[in-house]
Amino acid sequence: MYFSKEVLESSSRMRQKWEDEVKKVIAKGPDQKPRWSTVSDLEIKRLYGPEDIQHMDFEQDIGYPGQFPFIRGNQPTGYRGKYWTFRMFSGMGNAKTTNERWHMLLREGQTGLSTAFDFPTLMGYDTDSPKARGECGKCGVAIDTLDDFMQLVDGIPMDQVTTSMTINPPATVLWAMYCAAAELKGIPLTKIGGTIQNDMLKEFIAQKTLMCPPDPSVKLVSDTVEFGAKHVPRWNTISISGYHIREAGATAVQELAFTLRDGMEYVEDVIRRKGLHVDAFAPRLSFFFNSHSDFFEEIAKLRAARRIWAKAMRDRYKSQDQRSWWMRFHTQTAGCSLTAQQPYNNVIRTATQALAAVLGGTQSLHTNSLDEVLCLPSDHAVQIALRTQQIIAEETGVANTIDPLAGSYFVESLTNELEEKAWEYIHKIDDMGGMVAAIEKGYPQLEIADAAYHFQKQIDAGEKIMVGINKYVSAEPSPIPLVEIDDTVEIEQIKSLEAVRRKRDDKAVKRSLEDIKNACKKGDNVMPHCIEAVKNFASVQEICDVYREVYGEYRDPGLY
Amino acid sequence: MSEHIIRVMVAKPGLDGHDRGARVLARCFRDAGFEVIYTGCHQTPEQIAAAAIQEDVDVVGLSCLSGAHRYLFPAVVEQLRQRGADDIDVVGGGIIPDQDFQFLYDAGLKALFTPGEKLDDIVEWFRQNVKKRD
Amino acid sequence: MVDKVKKIQSGDVRSASRLIRHIEDNVAEARSTMKDIFPLTGHSHVVGLTGPPGAGKSTLVDGLIDAFRKMGRTVGVIAVDPTSPFTGGAILGDRIRMQRHAEDPGVFVRSVATRGALGGLSRAVGDAIHIMDVMGKDVILVETVGTGQQEVDIMHYAHTVLVVLIPGMGDDIQAIKAGILEIASIFVINKAEREGSSKLRRELVTMLNMAPESAFPGGWRPPILKCDNAFEPSGFSQSVSDLALSINEHYEHLVSKSLIGNWSARKAATEFNEAIRCAILDPVLNDLMANGELDAMIGRLVNKETDPYTLAEEIATRYLKKMT
């Protein structure tokens, strides 16, 4: 940043005077604690001034919205053209219950849909699998076949509303169901829009929704990227996710670095395996970040993310198309920051985290409900969470102007610091031979485990505060109504799965599963075959079993 | 000189892979001087019980964040009982609403630890409650 | 007492795992049970696996369990992991990779921590081998990290020793204790699809070519086998089956060339060594520790009031009457 010699000199003089004052005050009584740091334990100075950002180059490092390095946003108009998408993650019980929740949210002013699946679906098992016992509908919606999926999207205008699906190993299958459902409703694939999470690397690193080993997993991801680039142009085929990395205990820097390095790994794989030009698919890559409790650290993280990605796309991958340089991302407030103790405090946590996400320029946002730390959210709790976004958008005035914190000594300095530290990690992973190699070595997993343990120790020692946990603890219980998914959901779901199996054409199912198997073996794109198979009512598990058979099952090495 | 070192199995039953808590606890137990056998994620109750017996652990600590604890925790207790190993204690942790506590204690769980519990307090519970067996 | 042994002979996992626990915990009665166990041993083929951390030993063990089970043989596994020298605790995570066999009654996996630095590890592992042997396990796989003398000692219990290496670890061969290379029966180049695999193979061949013929008892030249990426299921299980066959061949070699005797002598020496230490040194140290004398002695050594040699002679004179 350009500061004249005079400004820097007077700043230096005034700083000296201020420092002397500080010393005097401290001599009389020390600060409340000796070390002040972010929730990620990044040390923060008492004050930031012009000298902290004097080496910045305005054109290269800051610039304007819609211009490189996009730190101030991708869109020249900011939130004036369109607020971020209010997208609440939801799914519970069976398809019918979830469909009802979706219609409720759309009535309440939600602008995009987001699907939570239950664990059997997430792991590629049918509800009647022995491994699925007790899990049906517990943390999301149970989907076994296209029959369920048609109920899920009943009455949803698929050509008008975009839908995000948090699905990873079976992403090809659930996306195939979405495509098949659209076709059955007479909507062409070119008209549907949405996102599949489909980010397998972060599963190995953090969330452990695992099916096949890393290499074939990335192959399936590349299949979807290619299919999307050719046939479903409005679809985001990967949402490269830092959210789960952060929830697993990573610091903000680790979230930033591992997520972006994952993104680079996918770019490199699609170029290598599919022979596509970077600009043929990179504009459809999207990202997903966590917004944690440390207000400025989160804002700086999101700003840094945009700048790192723009630099990487332009310089590392020689992309020519600005749309490839844009980092487009969804944000979710931090589930791991919520407390079961004094649960109404979670409303406040979520509000400040959401505010940070907006000041960081998110394009889409989920706000956690106050009861999500205990169960699936109730209608009432979801409504408060959605209203939190609407209040930020339409009452606080923060959306009036673009990137209002730019130029702040502290925010710019912190943005720079996070970026530098992230590049250190990225280069280290490059040296290991890329993210797949690093994961096989257990590198990111162990870094995160270290950070998680360090944080827990700080909580136990009272060095970091969680209100209601290690400070301002209340003996009074504050019960809230909890949503329960009762066990009849599982019984009913199994019954309807059996009914589908009875009525479908078994020969057609067998044939289409065989086609998927051949595609896997030959290295062909599985997507067209998956769409065919789901139309024949092949189940999620039947297709995933083909993947497991051909590619093998991955077992977590369980590094600690 | 006889030296009884507490052996604990940390296991994640069911399909959820959120192993942050399990891994933090495994480290914490190691640092408390225990021997920790970690089974990794996605274990069935049968696998956990069989492994607990092969390893002769004093306690099995289960972690579940998917909401399926009402099925999975009692199933592990039952599997141990069926294998004649009801002297191995079972404790649980994760996202467990207050109203499920009594149900789980009745099913044979010896203790439940939920988010917000101090690591030192959990270790202390083990030190106080793990008895030397013959 | 006899009851306990009978139960173990019948294959009872609970009694066996409890006895191993008591051995580790140094419970006195356990030692006398071992006296009854020892004469019953001699059934199993003991296979040691050693190599640097990250060489993929546990995954290999998991594959070998599968291969031996397909041959209809029962399997015991002893997986050794280090104890933290700072806390005395340990995280034993090897069995994660073998959990798919947890419910197979023909497989018994036991994790063992190295515990104290004073030794005793190879005794605990040796006893665990005996116990699994008496349970009737046909093959016992012992997995250790090949870094210290204790691990070398453990490998003396094995008929067949697998040294597991992976390409691209720098000075792979130098990283392994020389003593282990000398007792290697089979070299495994794991993760052989990685760069540097042929180079590693060449290095091993050169090393074997430089060794005198006497290094190959009965003419067994350790074969060098490759195992491909464990993430390619069909290729991996094929190379592991080949490895299992080679392990069997080595045992047949020992039998046909009457080399079992040599092996038994080596094993007996190690075992006896351990047992003597356990019978003599441990009680002495415990005694000195109990009355605080040990600390005082160390204090004197620190202050150079005496030297370790004189002090050791004093202790020997005091406790070992016969030697003086």
Side-chain angles (χ1 to χ4, degrees):
Chain A
M1 210 81 117
Y2 180 75
F3 295 105
S4 69
K5 207 169 151 225
E6 288 76 24
V7 168
L8 287 172
E9 271 170 16
S10 64
S11 168
S12 163
R13 200 170 54 245
M14 294 162 83
R15 171 177 280 271
Q16 191 56 55
K17 196 172 162 209
W18 168 74
E19 278 173 2
D20 293 344
E21 282 297 315
V22 168
K23 272 182 205 145
K24 271 186 225 154
V25 176
I26 289 181
K28 283 181 209 145
D31 287 343
Q32 300 172 63
K33 52 185 179 187
R35 187 170 172 275
W36 298 70
S37 65
T38 67
V39 73
S40 304
D41 211 26
L42 197 64
E43 191 158 356
I44 297 297
K45 297 197 278 188
R46 189 186 299 272
L47 182 79
Y48 291 75
E51 42 287 290
D52 291 296
I53 57 169
Q54 60 173 308
H55 299 297
M56 286 184 83
D57 179 306
F58 180 78
E59 203 180 323
Q60 280 306 307
D61 299 331
I62 300 183
Y64 275 82
Q67 294 174 17
F68 187 87
F70 300 101
I71 187 173
R72 309 202 62 185
N74 305 329
Q75 295 301 328
T77 56
Y79 290 132
R80 288 194 176 195
K82 180 177 171 289
Y83 293 122
W84 60 94
T85 307
F86 305 158
R87 196 186 290 282
M88 305 297 283
F89 184 46
S90 60
M92 57 206 291
N94 58 24
K96 188 168 169 289
T97 325
T98 303
N99 177 268
E100 283 163 11
R101 170 65 63 87
W102 282 9
H103 282 288
M104 180 279 265
L105 286 167
L106 289 172
R107 276 196 309 277
E108 294 292 335
Q110 169 163 282
T111 49
L113 295 168
S114 174
T115 326
F117 296 102
D118 70 354
F119 267 108
T121 311
L122 290 170
M123 292 288 290
Y125 295 112
D126 288 343
T127 304
D128 60 354
S129 159
K131 294 199 174 177
R133 283 171 305 180
E135 306 263 19
C136 175
K138 285 284 191 316
C139 65
V141 57
I143 300 288
D144 291 313
T145 67
L146 185 62
D147 194 62
D148 300 321
F149 208 91
M150 291 307 288
Q151 281 191 49
L152 181 67
V153 296
D154 186 42
I156 302 292
M158 293 171 82
D159 49 352
Q160 291 160 42
V161 178
T162 59
T163 305
S164 163
M165 293 194 283
T166 296
I167 190 79
N168 293 283
T172 49
V173 185
L174 276 300
W175 191 34
M177 286 185 183
Y178 200 91
C179 293
E183 284 182 6
L184 291 176
K185 288 178 167 210
I187 300 166
L189 294 186
T190 48
K191 289 266 160 52
I192 59 170
T195 306
I196 38 177
Q197 191 163 82
N198 202 24
D199 170 12
M200 278 313 297
L201 291 174
K202 65 96 173 48
E203 296 296 341
F204 295 103
I205 296 171
Q207 191 168 244
K208 313 290 163 67
T209 312
L210 300 169
M211 193 163 83
C212 299
D215 189 69
S217 298
V218 175
K219 185 262 176 197
L220 289 175
V221 172
S222 292
D223 280 359
T224 60
V225 174
E226 183 188 43
F227 188 79
K230 291 180 178 164
H231 306 290
V232 201
R234 292 179 57 218
W235 202 277
N236 302 311
T237 39
I238 324 183
S239 167
I240 303 152
S241 307
Y243 183 80
H244 321 84
I245 291 174
R246 191 65 180 278
E247 291 285 302
T251 63
V253 168
Q254 288 167 349
E255 179 192 358
L256 189 58
F258 297 158
T259 309
L260 271 73
R261 190 59 189 77
D262 282 350
M264 297 174 198
E265 193 84 354
Y266 291 122
V267 168
E268 291 167 16
D269 192 82
V270 174
I271 293 172
R272 191 181 64 237
R273 207 187 292 260
K274 300 291 184 187
L276 292 180
H277 186 272
V278 59
D279 291 326
F281 65 91
R284 296 318 298 177
L285 299 177
S286 63
F287 288 81
F288 173 22
F289 289 105
N290 194 302
S291 189
H292 211 292
S293 296
D294 199 290
F295 195 68
F296 290 107
E297 185 173 49
E298 294 307 295
I299 295 167
K301 178 188 79 186
L302 297 175
R303 297 177 81 244
R306 273 193 301 271
R307 190 164 65 196
I308 297 174
W309 190 246
K311 285 183 189 169
M313 293 312 288
R314 189 188 71 173
D315 304 337
R316 218 173 134 118
Y317 301 111
K318 310 291 176 226
S319 154
Q320 312 278 313
D321 183 349
Q322 284 216 359
R323 292 177 313 140
S324 301
W325 306 357
W326 293 350
M327 158 166 285
R328 298 172 306 120
F329 61 87
H330 172 71
T331 307
Q332 177 170 341
T333 56
C336 63
S337 72
L338 304 186
T339 61
Q341 295 82 347
Q342 307 173 39
Y344 290 104
N345 295 346
N346 294 332
V347 176
I348 293 95
R349 291 190 177 100
T350 298
T352 59
Q353 292 166 3
L355 186 58
V358 170
L359 290 170
T362 193
Q363 275 133 337
S364 170
L365 182 62
H366 165 98
T367 30
N368 288 324
S369 300
L370 71 101
D371 51 2
E372 271 181 88
V373 66
L374 285 165
C375 60
L376 288 167
S378 68
D379 282 352
H380 179 61
V382 168
Q383 197 188 51
I384 294 173
L386 177 60
R387 294 287 182 260
T388 304
Q389 295 197 38
Q390 291 160 335
I391 289 167
I392 291 173
E394 307 198 42
E395 289 185 10
T396 65
V398 294
N400 288 345
T401 188
I402 300 172
D403 191 24
L405 294 169
S408 145
Y409 305 127
F410 174 44
V411 172
E412 292 298 358
S413 168
L414 191 58
T415 305
N416 295 343
E417 191 178 350
L418 288 170
E419 177 175 345
E420 271 165 42
K421 290 194 153 72
W423 278 113
E424 279 172 29
Y425 266 124
I426 291 169
H427 291 139
K428 202 164 181 180
I429 293 166
D430 288 343
D431 291 343
M432 290 181 183
M435 200 43 137
V436 169
I439 288 170
E440 285 177 359
K441 284 195 177 78
Y443 176 70
Q445 297 95 308
L446 286 174
E447 287 291 300
I448 295 169
D450 284 344
Y453 194 41
H454 180 66
F455 179 73
Q456 189 59 46
K457 290 276 201 193
Q458 286 188 312
I459 289 287
D460 283 7
E463 288 164 22
K464 290 274 170 245
I465 300 301
M466 280 178 89
V467 170
I469 297 279
N470 63 353
K471 204 170 183 182
Y472 313 114
V473 176
S474 164
E476 289 291 302
S478 45
I480 51 172
L482 299 184
V483 173
E484 270 187 81
I485 302 298
D486 79 79
D487 299 336
T488 58
V489 172
E490 185 164 324
I491 297 163
E492 292 300 316
Q493 182 68 20
I494 291 173
K495 270 191 203 154
S496 73
L497 174 58
E498 283 166 352
V500 171
R501 288 213 182 102
R502 273 196 304 274
K503 74 175 187 205
R504 68 184 186 177
D505 176 355
D506 280 334
K507 272 193 199 135
V509 173
K510 222 176 142 199
R511 198 176 51 238
S512 49
L513 292 175
E514 204 56 38
D515 289 343
I516 295 175
K517 194 183 203 170
N518 288 331
C520 289
K521 285 189 172 159
K522 280 192 263 173
D524 292 348
N525 198 315
V526 298
M527 275 311 296
H529 308 292
C530 278
I531 293 177
E532 197 51 36
V534 301
K535 280 183 182 166
N536 289 327
F537 296 99
S539 70
V540 171
Q541 179 165 353
E542 284 163 336
I543 297 175
C544 290
D545 280 346
V546 172
Y547 297 151
R548 282 185 271 254
E549 186 194 329
V550 181
Y551 297 134
E553 265 188 83
Y554 181 80
R555 269 161 292 141
D556 178 37
L559 299 148
Y560 25 82
Chain B
M1 226 186 307
S2 167
E3 46 203 283
H4 180 254
I5 293 186
I6 294 174
R7 272 171 85 89
V8 187
M9 175 164 285
V10 175
K12 275 195 67 62
L15 294 176
D16 97 271
H18 299 101
D19 59 359
R20 174 179 181 166
R23 284 153 59 117
V24 164
L25 268 181
R27 284 178 173 221
C28 150
F29 288 149
R30 176 198 59 196
D31 291 353
F34 302 173
E35 286 178 2
V36 187
I37 292 96
Y38 179 47
T39 64
C41 305
H42 311 139
Q43 300 291 304
T44 63
E46 291 83 354
Q47 281 176 312
I48 292 169
I53 291 170
Q54 291 178 20
E55 296 290 354
D56 193 47
V57 294
D58 301 299
V59 186
V60 176
L62 301 172
S63 162
C64 176
L65 283 82
S66 75
H69 52 269
R70 285 174 62 95
Y71 168 76
L72 292 166
F73 288 4
V76 173
V77 176
E78 177 56 22
Q79 284 297 324
L80 283 168
R81 199 188 55 77
Q82 280 181 20
R83 288 157 211 254
D86 52 4
D87 56 326
I88 298 179
D89 287 340
V90 180
V91 303
I95 296 182
I96 300 161
D98 289 351
Q99 67 248 43
D100 288 348
F101 273 47
Q102 200 52 51
F103 170 82
L104 294 171
Y105 286 135
D106 291 346
L109 273 287
K110 284 287 179 318
L112 294 164
F113 304 102
T114 49
E117 203 87 40
K118 269 185 145 181
L119 296 178
D120 286 348
D121 295 344
I122 300 176
V123 166
E124 196 46 36
W125 185 93
F126 277 74
R127 292 220 168 100
Q128 294 301 322
N129 290 277
V130 172
K131 287 170 220 77
K132 217 164 150 176
R133 300 167 303 157
D134 316 310
Chain C
M1 186 79 74
V2 180
D3 228 34
K4 228 183 254 176
V5 176
K6 281 232 169 78
K7 272 188 158 171
I8 291 172
Q9 268 185 301
S10 75
D12 182 55
V13 175
R14 280 232 87 184
S15 318
S17 60
R18 178 60 47 83
L19 180 55
I20 297 173
R21 174 81 183 274
H22 283 171
I23 298 283
E24 292 181 293
D25 286 352
N26 224 345
V27 175
E29 305 92 84
R31 241 177 274 164
S32 64
T33 311
M34 285 313 296
K35 291 177 190 167
D36 298 324
I37 293 276
F38 185 80
L40 305 171
T41 60
H43 161 80
S44 312
H45 176 191
V46 182
V47 180
L49 288 93
T50 189
K57 296 181 293 294
S58 304
T59 309
L60 212 52
V61 169
D62 174 65
L64 285 171
I65 296 174
D66 215 36
F68 285 119
R69 292 298 292 143
K70 282 186 182 138
M71 295 175 191
R73 312 183 72 187
T74 55
V75 183
V77 175
I78 299 164
V80 182
D81 263 334
T83 291
S84 158
F86 305 108
T87 67
I91 299 180
L92 310 169
D94 290 332
R95 81 171 293 133
I96 292 177
R97 273 154 256 202
M98 309 166 199
Q99 263 301 82
R100 63 175 165 144
H101 305 290
E103 286 183 80
D104 179 349
V107 179
F108 176 17
V109 178
R110 185 61 158 72
S111 313
V112 173
T114 53
R115 298 224 173 156
L118 258 182
L121 168 67
S122 66
R123 180 176 55 82
V125 172
D127 287 349
I129 292 171
H130 290 326
I131 292 163
M132 287 190 180
D133 185 335
V134 170
M135 285 174 85
K137 299 296 172 217
D138 300 324
V139 182
I140 299 172
L141 303 166
V142 184
E143 176 195 338
T144 70
V145 174
T147 47
Q149 186 55 43
Q150 295 203 71
E151 283 81 2
V152 178
D153 288 346
I154 289 172
M155 287 301 136
H156 284 145
Y157 285 88
H159 298 95
T160 306
V161 175
L162 271 52
V163 174
V164 185
L165 302 167
I166 49 170
M169 289 194 85
D171 299 324
D172 310 84
I173 300 185
Q174 281 75 7
I176 301 291
K177 284 288 278 189
I180 283 192
L181 285 182
E182 284 159 23
I183 57 171
S185 326
I186 299 169
F187 287 100
V188 182
I189 301 182
N190 207 12
K191 307 183 186 178
E193 78 288 354
R194 288 195 185 170
E195 213 179 292
S197 168
S198 329
K199 180 171 168 274
L200 176 57
R201 192 188 166 81
R202 277 198 304 278
E203 283 174 5
L204 286 171
V205 169
T206 311
M207 186 195 71
L208 289 172
N209 286 342
M210 275 166 30
E213 211 39 45
S214 61
F216 310 120
W220 176 271
R221 293 184 72 87
I224 303 166
L225 299 185
K226 289 187 174 186
C227 275
D228 283 333
N229 194 344
F231 297 146
E232 297 287 343
S234 53
F236 182 70
S237 72
Q238 185 53 51
S239 42
V240 174
S241 321
D242 293 346
L243 177 60
L245 289 178
S246 182
I247 291 169
N248 288 346
E249 255 172 59
H250 179 256
Y251 191 75
E252 283 156 23
H253 170 84
L254 290 182
V255 175
S256 69
K257 303 276 169 168
S258 311
L259 293 167
I260 294 278
N262 297 2
W263 168 81
S264 302
R266 189 174 72 194
K267 188 197 81 159
T270 307
E271 202 163 18
F272 188 41
N273 200 2
E274 273 294 333
I276 291 179
R277 210 200 19 221
C278 173
I280 299 177
L281 188 58
D282 287 0
V284 170
L285 286 175
N286 284 341
D287 195 42
L288 292 174
M289 249 183 297
N291 60 22
E293 209 179 337
L294 190 65
D295 285 339
M297 287 176 172
I298 288 169
R300 283 171 59 206
L301 286 171
V302 170
N303 297 329
K304 299 256 166 73
E305 290 165 26
T306 178
D307 64 87
Y309 318 104
T310 312
L311 208 49
E313 276 167 18
E314 273 175 41
I315 300 297
T317 315
R318 191 187 327 164
Y319 285 94
L320 303 176
K321 289 197 188 100
K322 213 171 171 182
M323 282 178 73
T324 54

